[in-house]
C-alpha cells in the first residue's frame, strides 16, 4: 500500500516542478518577436548552465547571425575585471588597499586618496575630462591613461569631497582609469597585457579581450558585434555609429582610456569569470568576500551598495551581486548584465547589442527563477473607454518610489523618476499601456462591482508588482 501511495504521488510531484528553460525561452522569444531584442543570454544554477541561447544579428544590416562566440562591449562591467586585477596584486603582497594612489602615481596632487577609495568611487576626484581636458585636448590623437594623469596633475583641481564620505555617480569616472595605471606601474606590463596574461588566460577566457582604442580596433575583430540603439525621438532602432552625441574632442579624450570601459566578452566567458570568482580560482576566499562587501550606498531607495567594481544589495529575491551597463553615452546600444543571487547561486547573464534602454531582461529572468508572475511582451491596441472613470484611478502609489498617476487630455499619465511624464493609453477600461515604445509600462486596476479600485498592479518590462495607494 505504501508503495502504491508513493507512485500515486510521484506524477504530481514531477508535474509541480517548473520547466525553467521552457519558461525562459517563451519570454525570450517574445522579447525577440515584439521588442526586436538581439543578444546572448545565459542562465545557470550553481556550476550548471540551464539555458543558453543567442538571438538576432551581429550587425545593423542583419547580414550575419550572432553565435556563442560573438563579442559584446561590457562597458562598466570592465570595472569588475579591473578591481579583481588590483585585488590579485593585493593577494600577491604587491600593494595594500590603504596605500595612497600617489605612492604609485606621484604626479597626482591627491595624497589623501587611497586605492580603496578608487575601488568604491568614494575618492571625490575631479572628472578627468571636464576639469582636466575640456577645451584643451583637441583631435590630433586619442588620449591614453597616461595622458589623463598628466592632465589631472596639470589642472590641480581640488577634491569634490573628503575621500570616503560620498560616492560619485557620474558617467566619466576617473577612479578606474587610475587603477588601470596602478596595475601597469606595479606589474611593469600594459593593462592590456596584464589582463590577458594574469586574468583571462589562467581562467580560459578565450573570447575576452581588452580593446585599446575600442571604437577603432573592435571593428578589426570579425566577430565583434555592432551596437544598435533605440532613438526615443524617432521611436525606432538606429545604428549607434549614426548618433553623434559627443563632440569630436570628447571622443578623442575618452575612447582610448582603459579601466572603466574597454573590455569585450561573451556570455559564456562571463559565466567562466563568475565561476572563477565564486570558486576562488583567481582570488583568495577572504579577498573575494572583501570584493563583494557593501561599502558605499549608491541607491537609497533600492538599497544598492558599491563593492569593489560591483554592486551589492538585497531585493525581494534575496542577496545579490551585480554589475550592469545600461548602454550609456559611452557604450550606446549595448546593454549588459552579470547578476548572481548568492544564496541560491543563480547566475543570469545578458549581453545585448540591440535592446531598449528601459529593458530589464535580467530582472524578468529573476522573476521566472523565483516563481513570480511575468507578463510576456505583446502588441498593445488602444480602445475607446468612458473617461469619467479615470478620476478613480488618479492618485499616488508606492513602487517603492512614489509614482503619481493623473488624468490629462482624456487619458491617464504617470510620473517616472527623472524622466518626462508618460502618457498611458487604454487597452481596456481597467488596463493602460505606455504610448512611448521605449517603455513597456502597463497599469492594471482591479475594481469592485461599484467600480472602486481594490488593487493596482504596475507592470514594467514584464515585472508585475502590486502598488499600494497612498
Amino acid at each position: 500500500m505504501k508503495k502504491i501511495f508513493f507512485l500515486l504521488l510521484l506524477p504530481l510531484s514531477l508535474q509541480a516542478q517548473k520547466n525553467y528553460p521552457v519558461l525562459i525561452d517563451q519570454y525570450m522569444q517574445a522579447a525577440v518577436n515584439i521588442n526586436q531584442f538581439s543578444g546572448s543570454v545565459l542562465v545557470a544554477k550553481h556550476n550548471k548552465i540551464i539555458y543558453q541561447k543567442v538571438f538576432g544579428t551581429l550587425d545593423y544590416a542583419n547580414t550575419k547571425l550572432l553565435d556563442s562566440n560573438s563579442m559584446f562591449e561590457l562597458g562598466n562591467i570592465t570595472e569588475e575585471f579591473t578591481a579583481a586585477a588590483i585585488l590579485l596584486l593585493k593577494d600577491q603582497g604587491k600593494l595594500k588597499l590603504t596605500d595612497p594612489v600617489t605612492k604609485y602615481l606621484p604626479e597626482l596632487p591627491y595624497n589623501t586618496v587611497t586605492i580603496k577609495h578608487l575601488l568604491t568611487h568614494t575618492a571625490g576626484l575631479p572628472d578627468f575630462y571636464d576639469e582636466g581636458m575640456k577645451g584643451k585636448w583637441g583631435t590630433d590623437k586619442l588620449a591614453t591613461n597616461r595622458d589623463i594623469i598628466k592632465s589631472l596633475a596639470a589642472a590641480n583641481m581640488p577634491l569634490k569631497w573628503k575621500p570616503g564620505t560620498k560616492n560619485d555617480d557620474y558617467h566619466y569616472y576617473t577612479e578606474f582609469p587610475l587603477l588601470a595605471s596602478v596595475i601597469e606601474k606595479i606589474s611593469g606590463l600594459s593593462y592590456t597585457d596584464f589582463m590577458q596574461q594574469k586574468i583571462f588566460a589562467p581562467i580560459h577566457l578565450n573570447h575576452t579581450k581588452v580593446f585599446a582604442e575600442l571604437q577603432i580596433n573592435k571593428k578589426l575583430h570579425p566577430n565583434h558585434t555592432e551596437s544598435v540603439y533605440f532613438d526615443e525621438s524617432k521611436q525606432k532602432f538606429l545604428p549607434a555609429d549614426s548618433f553623434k552625441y559627443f563632440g569630436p574632442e570628447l571622443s578623442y579624450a575618452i575612447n582610448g582610456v582603459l579601466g572603466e570601459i574597454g573590455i569585450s566578452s561573451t556570455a559564456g566567458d562571463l559565466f567562466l569569470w563568475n565561476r572563477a570568482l565564486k570558486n576562488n580560482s583567481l582570488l583568495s576566499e577572504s579577498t573575494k568576500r572583501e570584493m563583494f562587501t557593501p561599502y558605499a550606498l549608491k541607491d537609497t531607495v533600492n538599497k544598492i551598495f558599491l563593492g569593489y567594481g560591483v554592486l551589492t544589495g538585497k531585493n525581494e529575491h534575496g542577496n545579490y551581486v551585480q554589475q550592469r551597463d545600461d548602454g550609456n553615452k559611452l557604450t550606446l546600444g549595448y546593454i549588459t548584465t552579470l547578476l548572481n543571487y548568492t544564496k541560491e547561486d543563480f547566475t543570469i547573464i545578458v549581453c545585448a547589442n540591440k535592446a531598449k534602454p528601459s529593458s530589464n531582461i535580467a530582472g524578468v529572468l529573476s522573476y521566472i527563477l523565483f516563481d513570480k508572475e511575468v507578463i510576456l511582451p505583446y502588441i498593445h491596441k488602444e480602445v475607446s473607454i468612458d473617461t469619467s472613470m479615470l478620476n478613480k484611478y488618479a492618485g499616488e502609489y508606492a513602487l517603492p518610489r512614489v509614482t503619481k498617476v493623473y488624468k490629462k487630455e482624456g487619458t491617464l499619465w504617470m510620473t517616472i523618476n527623472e524622466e518626462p511624464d508618460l502618457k498611458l493609453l487604454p487597452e481596456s477600461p481597467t488596463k493602460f499601456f505606455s504610448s512611448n515604445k521605449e517603455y513597456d509600462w502597463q497599469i492594471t486596476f482591479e475594481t469592485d462591482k461599484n467600480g472602486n479600485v481594490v488593487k493596482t498592479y504596475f507592470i514594467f518590462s514584464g515585472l508585475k508588482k502590486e502598488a499600494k495607494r497612498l
Side-chain angles (χ1 to χ4, degrees):
M1 178 64 72
K2 288 182 179 180
K3 184 176 181 181
I4 294 173
F5 182 69
F6 174 76
L7 291 174
L8 286 172
L9 286 179
L10 186 59
L12 295 176
S13 175
L14 292 176
Q15 187 177 12
Q17 295 178 10
K18 291 192 175 182
N19 191 329
Y20 294 109
V22 169
L23 294 173
I24 292 169
D25 198 55
Q26 286 175 350
Y27 176 80
M28 290 310 309
Q29 294 296 341
V32 172
N33 295 333
I34 303 300
N35 296 328
Q36 302 177 57
F37 172 84
S38 176
S40 181
V41 175
L42 185 153
V43 180
K45 182 171 176 59
H46 301 305
N47 295 319
K48 182 180 179 182
I49 296 172
I50 64 172
Y51 182 86
Q52 185 176 14
K53 276 193 177 182
V54 294
F55 308 89
T57 57
L58 184 145
D59 57 335
Y60 176 75
N62 299 327
T63 61
K64 184 177 180 182
L65 294 175
L66 289 170
D67 61 40
S68 60
N69 295 328
S70 298
M71 300 171 69
F72 299 79
E73 283 188 43
L74 299 186
N76 293 335
I77 295 179
T78 298
E79 289 186 9
E80 191 170 324
F81 287 85
T82 303
I86 286 287
L87 294 173
L88 182 61
L89 292 172
K90 167 190 167 292
D91 273 352
Q92 294 172 349
K94 296 179 179 179
L95 64 73
K96 297 179 180 177
L97 301 190
T98 54
D99 289 341
V101 66
T102 50
K103 178 177 180 180
Y104 308 102
L105 308 174
E107 310 97 310
L108 295 175
Y110 305 117
N111 56 16
T112 60
V113 173
T114 67
I115 301 298
K116 182 174 180 176
H117 293 144
L118 298 180
L119 285 168
T120 55
H121 290 301
T122 58
L125 290 167
D127 172 62
F128 72 79
Y129 177 72
D130 282 351
E131 283 89 0
M133 294 177 169
K134 192 171 185 178
K136 308 170 188 175
W137 185 249
T139 57
D140 289 337
K141 73 181 186 76
L142 286 169
T144 64
N145 291 50
R146 190 73 227 152
D147 292 319
I148 71 167
I149 293 170
K150 291 178 180 178
S151 296
L152 286 172
N156 196 21
M157 297 294 293
L159 294 172
K160 298 177 183 178
W161 58 76
K162 182 180 177 181
T165 61
K166 291 176 61 179
N167 69 80
D168 192 350
D169 198 24
Y170 194 53
H171 285 305
Y172 313 129
Y173 292 134
T174 299
E175 291 92 339
F176 275 74
L178 294 187
L179 288 171
S181 294
V182 169
I183 291 167
E184 293 181 332
K185 187 67 174 284
I186 293 174
S187 68
L189 299 171
S190 69
Y191 175 81
T192 299
D193 288 345
F194 184 93
M195 299 305 288
Q196 178 59 42
Q197 295 175 27
K198 307 299 182 181
I199 303 290
F200 304 158
I203 55 177
H204 309 294
L205 306 187
N206 298 325
H207 303 285
T208 303
K209 182 176 176 61
V210 177
F211 284 97
E213 302 181 8
L214 180 64
Q215 300 304 318
I216 297 172
N217 289 335
K218 73 173 186 180
K219 295 178 181 179
L220 303 178
H221 195 287
N223 210 22
H224 199 293
T225 56
E226 295 178 11
S227 57
V228 181
Y229 83 104
F230 188 81
D231 188 309
E232 185 175 354
S233 64
K234 297 179 180 178
Q235 293 286 284
K236 65 179 182 179
F237 285 101
L238 294 171
D241 287 347
S242 69
F243 187 65
K244 305 301 181 184
Y245 181 85
F246 297 139
E249 182 187 72
L250 182 57
S251 295
Y252 275 80
I254 289 175
N255 284 334
V257 175
L258 301 173
E260 165 75 12
I261 62 172
I263 292 178
S264 293
S265 189
T266 65
D269 270 16
L270 286 178
F271 181 59
L272 293 177
W273 165 249
N274 173 268
R275 293 298 89 189
L277 291 178
K278 186 78 175 181
N279 301 327
N280 307 323
S281 302
L282 188 68
L283 303 175
S284 66
E285 172 67 25
S286 61
T287 296
K288 177 192 70 177
R289 289 199 305 268
E290 190 176 359
M291 181 178 181
F292 296 158
T293 297
Y295 292 104
L297 183 61
K298 177 180 174 68
D299 185 329
T300 57
V301 174
N302 296 300
K303 299 295 187 292
I304 300 173
F305 291 81
L306 292 162
Y308 296 157
V310 298
L311 302 175
T312 68
K314 184 177 182 179
N315 60 21
E316 59 198 297
H317 310 310
N319 294 315
Y320 65 87
V321 176
Q322 177 180 251
Q323 186 54 282
R324 173 178 167 90
D325 187 275
D326 294 319
N328 62 38
K329 299 175 186 69
L330 292 177
T331 54
L332 189 65
Y334 289 104
I335 297 178
T336 309
T337 303
L338 172 55
L339 170 63
N340 180 263
Y341 288 97
T342 52
K343 181 181 178 181
E344 296 80 4
D345 197 15
F346 289 141
T347 302
I348 300 171
I349 299 169
V350 180
C351 299
N353 65 323
K354 181 183 180 183
K356 296 176 181 178
S358 59
S359 66
N360 184 16
I361 289 176
V364 174
L365 301 187
S366 299
Y367 260 49
I368 292 173
L369 292 173
F370 286 95
D371 300 325
K372 298 290 181 67
E373 184 178 3
V374 167
I375 307 300
L376 299 183
Y378 65 97
I379 297 174
H380 302 279
K381 294 182 179 180
E382 182 182 5
V383 300
S384 297
I385 63 169
D386 177 4
T387 60
S388 64
M389 68 181 67
L390 299 180
N391 293 322
K392 292 186 177 181
Y393 302 152
E396 291 187 338
Y397 299 84
L399 270 182
R401 285 186 173 92
V402 174
T403 298
K404 182 180 179 182
V405 176
Y406 61 95
K407 180 181 177 181
K408 176 184 171 184
E409 299 173 356
T411 190
L412 292 180
W413 289 68
M414 66 178 292
T415 59
I416 298 180
N417 185 48
E418 299 179 357
E419 294 284 348
D421 285 7
L422 196 62
K423 184 178 183 180
L424 300 170
L425 302 176
E427 185 172 302
S428 76
T430 57
K431 188 168 185 179
F432 299 79
F433 65 95
S434 166
S435 63
N436 187 317
K437 294 179 181 178
E438 179 179 350
Y439 299 96
D440 186 16
W441 269 106
Q442 304 167 49
I443 303 180
T444 298
F445 300 95
E446 289 186 8
T447 57
D448 60 20
K449 61 182 181 180
N450 297 317
N452 297 313
V453 178
V454 293
K455 284 187 178 181
T456 303
Y457 295 93
F458 283 72
I459 303 165
F460 178 60
S461 292
L463 307 181
K464 184 176 181 180
K465 297 185 179 183
E466 184 177 356
K468 299 298 182 181
R469 192 166 188 169
L470 302 177

